[in-house]
Amino acid sequence: MRAFFEGIQWLFENIFFIPQDYLRELELTNWFAANIINWIFMAICAYATWYWCKQLTMHKASGEENQDTTAHSFLTK
């Protein structure tokens, strides 16, 4: 059983963590390049927030949005 868990350890340390090891070494020379994944996620989240706000504005302008507090039956109890 111990060999099984050591095999999992070897798989993660020597195979799955290769990208993280590369980014850790890259951080010493270029911080922005090492955090490129974070920059990509921040850009995606910023775009999604902008798109969501745009859609909310469109629905409010067309009158499709129901702002009545009794729109859901569980809110009237």
Side-chain angles (χ1 to χ4, degrees):
M1 192 67 167
R2 181 177 177 177
F4 173 73
F5 289 110
E6 287 177 350
I8 293 174
Q9 174 189 351
W10 179 87
L11 180 68
F12 275 87
E13 287 180 352
N14 296 328
I15 304 297
F16 292 151
F17 288 160
I18 289 174
Q20 285 83 3
D21 291 338
Y22 172 71
L23 290 174
R24 185 181 64 219
E25 292 174 9
L26 180 62
E27 185 179 15
L28 298 175
T29 58
N30 190 344
W31 182 85
F32 287 101
N35 288 296
I36 191 70
I37 295 171
N38 295 332
W39 293 109
I40 291 170
F41 283 144
M42 285 192 294
I44 290 170
C45 289
Y47 174 76
T49 303
W50 171 81
Y51 182 78
W52 182 31
C53 290
K54 185 179 109 179
Q55 292 296 319
L56 286 173
T57 306
M58 284 179 20
H59 285 290
K60 188 170 186 172
S62 67
E64 294 176 26
E65 185 176 4
N66 186 1
Q67 294 185 348
D68 186 13
T69 56
T70 61
H72 300 286
S73 62
F74 61 86
L75 291 175
T76 58
K77 294 180 182 179

